[in-house]
Coordinates of all heavy atoms in Angstrom, one line a residue:
T352 N -10.7 12.0 -19.0 CA -9.3 12.3 -19.3 C -8.5 12.3 -18.0 O -7.3 12.5 -18.0 CB -9.1 13.7 -19.9 OG1 -9.8 14.6 -19.1 CG2 -9.8 13.7 -21.3
N353 N -9.2 12.1 -16.8 CA -8.5 12.1 -15.6 C -8.2 10.7 -15.1 O -8.6 10.2 -14.2 CB -9.4 12.7 -14.5 CG -8.7 13.0 -13.2 OD1 -7.5 12.8 -13.1 ND2 -9.5 13.2 -12.1
G354 N -7.4 10.0 -15.9 CA -7.0 8.6 -15.6 C -7.8 7.7 -16.5 O -7.2 6.9 -17.2
G355 N -9.1 7.8 -16.4 CA -10.0 7.0 -17.2 C -9.5 5.5 -17.3 O -8.9 5.0 -16.4
G356 N -9.9 4.8 -18.3 CA -9.5 3.4 -18.5 C -8.2 3.3 -19.2 O -7.7 2.2 -19.5
S357 N -7.6 4.4 -19.7 CA -6.4 4.3 -20.6 C -5.1 4.4 -19.8 O -4.1 3.9 -20.2 CB -6.5 5.3 -21.7 OG -6.5 6.6 -21.1
A358 N -5.1 5.1 -18.7 CA -3.9 5.3 -17.9 C -3.6 4.0 -17.2 O -4.4 3.5 -16.5 CB -4.0 6.5 -17.0
P359 N -2.4 3.5 -17.3 CA -2.0 2.3 -16.5 C -2.0 2.7 -15.0 O -1.6 3.8 -14.6 CB -0.6 1.9 -17.0 CG -0.1 3.2 -17.6 CD -1.2 4.0 -18.1
L360 N -2.4 1.7 -14.2 CA -2.4 1.8 -12.8 C -0.9 1.8 -12.3 O -0.2 0.8 -12.5 CB -3.2 0.7 -12.1 CG -3.3 0.7 -10.6 CD1 -3.7 2.0 -10.0 CD2 -4.2 -0.4 -10.2
E361 N -0.5 2.9 -11.6 CA 0.9 2.9 -11.2 C 1.0 3.3 -9.7 O 0.3 4.2 -9.2 CB 1.7 4.0 -12.0 CG 1.8 3.8 -13.4 CD 2.4 4.9 -14.2 OE1 2.7 6.0 -13.5 OE2 2.6 4.8 -15.4
L362 N 2.0 2.7 -9.0 CA 2.3 3.1 -7.6 C 3.3 4.2 -7.7 O 4.4 4.1 -8.3 CB 2.9 1.9 -6.9 CG 3.2 2.1 -5.4 CD1 1.9 2.2 -4.6 CD2 4.0 0.9 -4.9
R363 N 3.0 5.4 -7.2 CA 3.8 6.5 -7.3 C 4.9 6.6 -6.2 O 6.0 7.0 -6.4 CB 3.0 7.8 -7.2 CG 2.2 8.0 -8.5 CD 3.0 8.6 -9.6 NE 2.4 8.5 -10.9 CZ 1.7 9.5 -11.4 NH1 1.6 10.6 -10.8 NH2 1.2 9.3 -12.7
Y364 N 4.5 6.2 -5.0 CA 5.5 6.2 -3.9 C 5.0 5.2 -2.8 O 3.8 4.9 -2.7 CB 5.6 7.6 -3.2 CG 4.4 8.1 -2.5 CD1 4.2 7.8 -1.2 CD2 3.4 8.8 -3.2 CE1 3.1 8.3 -0.5 CE2 2.3 9.3 -2.6 CZ 2.1 9.0 -1.2 OH 1.0 9.5 -0.6
I365 N 5.9 4.8 -2.0 CA 5.6 4.0 -0.8 C 6.6 4.2 0.3 O 7.8 4.4 0.0 CB 5.5 2.5 -1.1 CG1 5.1 1.7 0.1 CG2 6.8 2.0 -1.7 CD1 4.7 0.2 -0.2
S366 N 6.2 4.4 1.5 CA 7.1 4.5 2.6 C 6.6 3.7 3.8 O 5.4 3.6 4.0 CB 7.3 6.0 3.0 OG 6.2 6.5 3.6
V367 N 7.5 3.2 4.6 CA 7.1 2.5 5.8 C 7.9 3.1 7.0 O 9.1 3.3 6.9 CB 7.5 0.9 5.7 CG1 7.1 0.2 6.9 CG2 6.9 0.3 4.5
S368 N 7.1 3.4 8.0 CA 7.7 4.0 9.2 C 7.4 3.1 10.4 O 6.3 3.3 11.0 CB 7.1 5.4 9.4 OG 7.3 6.3 8.3
P369 N 8.3 2.2 10.7 CA 8.1 1.3 11.8 C 8.4 2.0 13.2 O 9.2 3.0 13.2 CB 9.0 0.2 11.6 CG 10.1 0.7 10.8 CD 9.5 1.9 10.0
D370 N 7.7 1.6 14.2 CA 7.9 2.0 15.6 C 8.2 0.8 16.4 O 8.4 -0.3 15.9 CB 6.7 2.8 16.1 CG 7.0 3.8 17.2 OD1 8.0 3.6 17.8 OD2 6.2 4.7 17.4
L371 N 8.1 0.9 17.7 CA 8.3 -0.3 18.6 C 7.2 -1.3 18.4 O 7.5 -2.5 18.3 CB 8.4 0.1 20.1 CG 9.6 0.8 20.5 CD1 9.5 1.4 22.0 CD2 10.8 -0.1 20.4
Q372 N 5.9 -0.9 18.4 CA 4.8 -1.8 18.4 C 3.8 -1.5 17.3 O 2.7 -2.0 17.3 CB 4.1 -1.9 19.7 CG 5.1 -2.4 20.8 CD 4.4 -2.3 22.2 OE1 3.8 -1.4 22.6 NE2 4.6 -3.4 22.9
S373 N 4.2 -0.7 16.3 CA 3.3 -0.4 15.2 C 4.2 0.0 14.0 O 5.4 0.2 14.1 CB 2.4 0.7 15.6 OG 3.1 1.9 15.8
A374 N 3.4 0.2 12.9 CA 4.1 0.7 11.7 C 3.1 1.5 10.9 O 1.9 1.1 10.9 CB 4.7 -0.5 10.8
L375 N 3.5 2.5 10.2 CA 2.7 3.3 9.3 C 3.1 3.1 7.9 O 4.3 3.3 7.6 CB 2.7 4.8 9.7 CG 1.9 5.7 8.9 CD1 0.4 5.4 9.1 CD2 2.2 7.1 9.2
I376 N 2.3 2.6 7.0 CA 2.6 2.4 5.6 C 1.8 3.5 4.8 O 0.6 3.6 4.9 CB 2.1 1.0 5.1 CG1 2.9 -0.1 6.0 CG2 2.5 0.8 3.6 CD1 2.4 -1.5 5.7
Q377 N 2.5 4.2 4.1 CA 1.9 5.3 3.2 C 2.3 5.0 1.8 O 3.4 4.7 1.5 CB 2.4 6.7 3.7 CG 2.0 7.0 5.1 CD 2.6 8.3 5.6 OE1 3.8 8.5 5.6 NE2 1.7 9.2 6.0
F378 N 1.3 5.2 0.9 CA 1.6 5.0 -0.5 C 0.6 5.8 -1.3 O -0.5 6.2 -0.9 CB 1.5 3.5 -0.9 CG 0.3 2.8 -0.5 CD1 -0.8 2.7 -1.4 CD2 0.1 2.3 0.8 CE1 -2.0 2.0 -1.0 CE2 -1.0 1.6 1.2 CZ -2.1 1.5 0.3
G379 N 1.0 6.0 -2.6 CA 0.1 6.8 -3.5 C 0.1 6.2 -4.9 O 1.1 5.6 -5.3
T380 N -0.9 6.5 -5.6 CA -1.1 6.0 -7.0 C -1.5 7.1 -7.9 O -1.8 8.2 -7.4 CB -2.2 4.9 -7.0 OG1 -3.4 5.5 -6.5 CG2 -1.8 3.7 -6.2
N381 N -1.4 6.9 -9.2 CA -1.6 7.9 -10.2 C -3.2 8.1 -10.4 O -3.6 9.1 -10.9 CB -0.9 7.6 -11.5 CG -1.4 6.3 -12.1 OD1 -1.7 5.3 -11.4 ND2 -1.5 6.3 -13.4
V382 N -3.9 7.1 -10.0 CA -5.4 7.2 -10.1 C -6.0 6.7 -8.8 O -5.4 6.0 -8.1 CB -6.0 6.3 -11.3 CG1 -5.5 6.8 -12.6 CG2 -5.6 4.8 -11.1
P383 N -7.2 7.1 -8.5 CA -7.9 6.6 -7.3 C -8.0 5.1 -7.3 O -8.4 4.5 -8.3 CB -9.2 7.3 -7.2 CG -9.0 8.5 -8.1 CD -8.1 8.1 -9.2
V384 N -7.7 4.5 -6.2 CA -7.8 3.0 -6.0 C -8.4 2.7 -4.7 O -8.3 3.4 -3.7 CB -6.4 2.3 -6.2 CG1 -5.8 2.5 -7.6 CG2 -5.5 2.8 -5.1
Q385 N -8.9 1.5 -4.6 CA -9.2 0.9 -3.3 C -8.0 0.0 -3.0 O -7.5 -0.7 -3.8 CB -10.5 0.0 -3.4 CG -11.0 -0.5 -2.1 CD -12.3 -1.2 -2.2 OE1 -12.7 -1.7 -3.3 NE2 -13.1 -1.3 -1.1
A386 N -7.6 0.1 -1.7 CA -6.4 -0.6 -1.3 C -6.7 -1.7 -0.3 O -7.6 -1.5 0.6 CB -5.4 0.3 -0.7
F387 N -6.1 -2.8 -0.4 CA -6.2 -3.9 0.6 C -4.7 -4.2 1.1 O -3.9 -4.5 0.3 CB -6.7 -5.2 0.0 CG -8.1 -4.9 -0.6 CD1 -8.2 -4.5 -1.9 CD2 -9.3 -5.2 0.1 CE1 -9.5 -4.2 -2.5 CE2 -10.5 -4.9 -0.5 CZ -10.6 -4.5 -1.8
V388 N -4.5 -4.1 2.4 CA -3.2 -4.3 2.9 C -3.2 -5.6 3.9 O -4.1 -5.7 4.7 CB -2.7 -3.1 3.7 CG1 -1.3 -3.4 4.4 CG2 -2.6 -1.9 2.8
Y389 N -2.3 -6.5 3.6 CA -2.2 -7.7 4.4 C -0.8 -7.8 5.1 O 0.1 -7.4 4.4 CB -2.4 -9.0 3.5 CG -3.6 -8.9 2.7 CD1 -3.6 -8.3 1.4 CD2 -4.8 -9.5 3.1 CE1 -4.8 -8.3 0.6 CE2 -5.9 -9.5 2.3 CZ -5.9 -8.9 1.1 OH -7.0 -8.8 0.3
W390 N -0.7 -8.3 6.3 CA 0.6 -8.3 7.0 C 0.7 -9.5 7.9 O -0.3 -10.1 8.3 CB 0.9 -7.1 7.7 CG 0.1 -6.8 9.0 CD1 0.4 -7.2 10.2 CD2 -1.2 -6.3 9.1 NE1 -0.6 -6.8 11.1 CE2 -1.6 -6.3 10.5 CE3 -2.1 -5.7 8.2 CZ2 -2.8 -5.8 10.9 CZ3 -3.3 -5.3 8.6 CH2 -3.7 -5.3 10.0
G391 N 1.9 -9.9 8.2 CA 2.2 -11.0 9.1 C 3.7 -11.2 9.3 O 4.5 -10.5 8.7
E392 N 4.0 -12.2 10.1 CA 5.4 -12.5 10.3 C 6.0 -13.5 9.3 O 7.1 -13.8 9.2 CB 5.6 -13.1 11.7 CG 5.4 -12.1 12.8 CD 5.7 -12.6 14.2 OE1 6.7 -13.3 14.3 OE2 5.0 -12.2 15.1
T393 N 5.1 -13.9 8.4 CA 5.5 -14.8 7.3 C 4.8 -14.3 6.0 O 3.9 -13.4 6.1 CB 5.0 -16.3 7.5 OG1 3.6 -16.3 7.4 CG2 5.5 -16.8 8.8
L394 N 5.1 -14.9 4.9 CA 4.5 -14.5 3.6 C 3.1 -15.0 3.5 O 2.4 -14.8 2.5 CB 5.3 -14.9 2.4 CG 6.7 -14.2 2.3 CD1 7.5 -14.8 1.2 CD2 6.4 -12.7 1.9
D395 N 2.5 -15.6 4.5 CA 1.1 -16.0 4.6 C 0.3 -14.9 5.0 O -1.0 -15.0 5.0 CB 0.9 -17.2 5.5 CG 1.5 -18.5 4.9 OD1 1.6 -18.7 3.7 OD2 1.9 -19.4 5.7
Y396 N 0.9 -13.8 5.5 CA 0.2 -12.6 6.0 C -0.9 -13.0 7.0 O -2.1 -12.6 6.9 CB -0.4 -11.8 4.8 CG 0.7 -11.6 3.7 CD1 0.6 -12.2 2.5 CD2 1.7 -10.7 3.9 CE1 1.5 -12.0 1.5 CE2 2.7 -10.5 3.0 CZ 2.6 -11.1 1.8 OH 3.5 -10.9 0.8
E397 N -0.5 -13.7 8.0 CA -1.5 -14.3 8.9 C -2.0 -13.4 10.0 O -2.9 -13.7 10.8 CB -0.8 -15.6 9.6 CG 0.3 -15.2 10.6 CD 1.6 -14.8 10.1 OE1 1.8 -14.8 8.8 OE2 2.5 -14.4 10.9

């Protein structure tokens, strides 16, 4: 009953805090997930 297979996977929040030479991305979901983050100067996330 704690999410199980019936609750849809939802993104609850996301925030991005950029600095001069770094950025912090924070996000939360309604159920535990494994996350993969890709980034780049183009949409190829190189």
